[in-house]
């Protein structure tokens, strides 16, 4: 299914994949991998993805044949794939590994021991009411040991935990195999939402949570109630008002 193309350096695998999809040059299953990104993007356009050249798995993949009933939840489908991949890998390498060391964090991160190890960016391209395709970006910290001081306290990698240098190609192939299975498994929206809610359940126990919205507004002392059927975060504000967030950056103690 996958057609992998690897580049020594790109400004952004996501931008390349989006441009090729827009021009009609990208096909279903195309995967663009960069050993280094000079302008990798995070969740918002203003944020960059920091990487040390040659150490991390940085890729964007194109999907043009996607189950429409779950199209708006594809970042979670991808997140579940990353969670499964990392649990499989760590179970093979560590004694007494506990699954909850790997956690899905709303809306598009995966954590290892409470620190970010993977970020996901899902972008759909539409022509009117017709889906042209979907571009999914994945940045997974594999062999990088040190991180930019702005994120050092919140980021980790497989090498930080295992102490070994891993082959990026092996991690890539395991992830793509898992993702291929996951894409086929989640054609039922109710089943997908159930599994997402299970993986995000730990977040309902968090305390001292704040949410920074895309416009910069910060909601303090919120309580996480779960997600609604659109995947938006259902919260209770400090004054007890229930509301939903379609996108936000969450911070919390612990």
């Amino acid at each position: 299914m996958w057609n992998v193309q690897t580049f020594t350096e790109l400004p952004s695998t996501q931008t390349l994949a989006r441009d090729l999809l827009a021009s009609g040059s990208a096909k279903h299953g195309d995967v663009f991998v960069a050993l280094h990104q000079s302008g990798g993007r995070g969740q918002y356009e203003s944020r960059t993805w920091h990487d040390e050249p040659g150490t991390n798995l940085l890729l964007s993949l194109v999907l043009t044949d996607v189950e429409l009933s779950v199209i708006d939840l594809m970042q979670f489908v991808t997140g579940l794939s990353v969670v499964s991949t990392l649990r499989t890998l760590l179970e093979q390498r560590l004694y007494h590994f506990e699954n909850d060391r790997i956690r899905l964090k709303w809306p598009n991160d995966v954590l290892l021991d409470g620190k970010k190890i993977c970020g996901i960016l899902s972008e759909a391209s539409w022509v009117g009411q017709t889906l042209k395709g979907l571009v999914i970006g994945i940045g997974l910290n594999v062999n990088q040991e040190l991180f930019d001081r702005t994120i050092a306290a919140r980021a980790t990698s497989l090498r930080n935990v295992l102490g070994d240098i891993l082959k990026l190609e092996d991690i890539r192939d395991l992830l793509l195999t898992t993702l291929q299975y996951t894409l086929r498994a989640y054609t039922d929206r109710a089943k997908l939402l159930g599994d997402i809610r299970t993986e995000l359940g730990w977040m309902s126990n968090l305390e001292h949570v704040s949410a920074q919205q895309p416009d910069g507004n910060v909601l303090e002392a919120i309580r996480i109630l779960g997600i609604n059927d659109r995947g938006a975060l259902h919260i209770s504000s400090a004054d007890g008002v229930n509301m939903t967030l379609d996108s936000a950056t969450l911070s919390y103690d612990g």
Side-chain angles (χ1 to χ4, degrees):
M1 171 179 174
W2 305 112
N3 172 37
V4 179
Q5 303 175 51
T6 302
F7 301 83
T8 301
E9 181 176 335
L10 287 173
S12 164
T13 60
Q14 195 77 356
T15 299
L16 175 64
R18 285 193 312 174
D19 290 348
L20 292 176
L21 178 62
S23 69
S25 301
K27 296 180 285 296
H28 181 76
D30 281 350
V31 181
F32 304 98
V33 180
L35 298 181
H36 174 56
Q37 293 185 129
S38 57
R41 297 195 296 112
Q43 180 181 358
Y44 305 127
E45 291 283 352
S46 61
R47 295 184 180 174
T48 58
W49 179 273
H50 300 275
D51 73 272
E52 180 181 312
T55 62
N56 299 323
L57 184 61
L58 311 169
L59 65 83
S60 293
L61 55 94
V62 175
L63 301 174
T64 57
D65 182 14
V66 186
E67 175 60 49
L68 291 179
S69 65
V70 298
I71 188 70
D72 59 325
L73 299 175
M74 283 303 298
Q75 80 271 24
F76 296 113
V77 173
T78 308
L80 291 172
S81 299
V82 174
V83 166
S84 178
T85 297
L86 293 178
R87 285 176 178 165
T88 297
L89 181 68
L90 292 173
E91 284 170 1
Q92 293 171 348
R93 292 175 172 267
L94 296 175
Y95 292 108
H96 308 300
F97 173 77
E98 297 179 359
N99 278 343
D100 63 5
R101 290 181 64 183
I102 302 289
R103 283 174 163 167
L104 186 66
K105 179 189 174 188
W106 185 94
N108 54 4
D109 290 340
V110 177
L111 308 181
L112 169 56
D113 295 335
K115 296 184 177 183
K116 181 173 178 175
I117 191 169
C118 182
I120 297 160
L121 183 61
S122 178
E123 299 177 295
S125 176
W126 298 85
V127 178
Q129 299 298 313
T130 302
L131 178 69
K132 189 175 182 67
L134 190 72
V135 175
I136 300 175
I138 302 171
L140 175 62
N141 297 331
V142 180
N143 292 320
Q144 186 166 339
E145 289 187 281
L146 302 176
F147 295 87
D148 184 276
R149 61 180 179 80
T150 60
I151 62 170
R154 307 187 310 276
T156 192
S157 69
L158 288 171
R159 186 177 182 183
N160 286 156
V161 173
L162 297 174
D164 298 326
I165 295 178
L166 305 177
K167 291 184 179 179
L168 295 180
E169 295 85 354
D170 292 346
I171 308 299
R172 179 200 69 200
D173 292 346
L174 178 59
L175 174 57
L176 291 177
T177 298
T178 305
L179 182 58
Q180 184 172 349
Y181 170 81
T182 307
L183 288 169
R184 292 173 178 169
Y186 287 121
T187 56
D188 181 84
R189 188 177 181 89
K191 180 180 186 303
L192 173 58
L193 281 167
D195 287 353
I196 296 168
R197 287 178 171 127
T198 296
E199 287 293 344
L200 293 177
W202 66 278
M203 299 189 73
S204 296
N205 297 319
L206 292 174
E207 298 181 349
H208 309 294
V209 183
S210 63
Q212 181 176 351
Q213 298 173 283
D215 62 3
N217 182 49
V218 177
L219 301 173
E220 301 284 358
I222 67 171
R223 180 167 165 259
I224 296 174
L225 304 176
I227 61 168
N228 66 14
D229 288 347
R230 296 185 296 104
L233 194 68
H234 188 41
I235 68 168
S236 177
S237 67
D239 54 5
V241 177
N242 290 350
M243 63 182 72
T244 57
L245 302 175
D246 291 319
S247 181
T249 299
L250 301 180
S251 301
Y252 51 88
D253 292 343

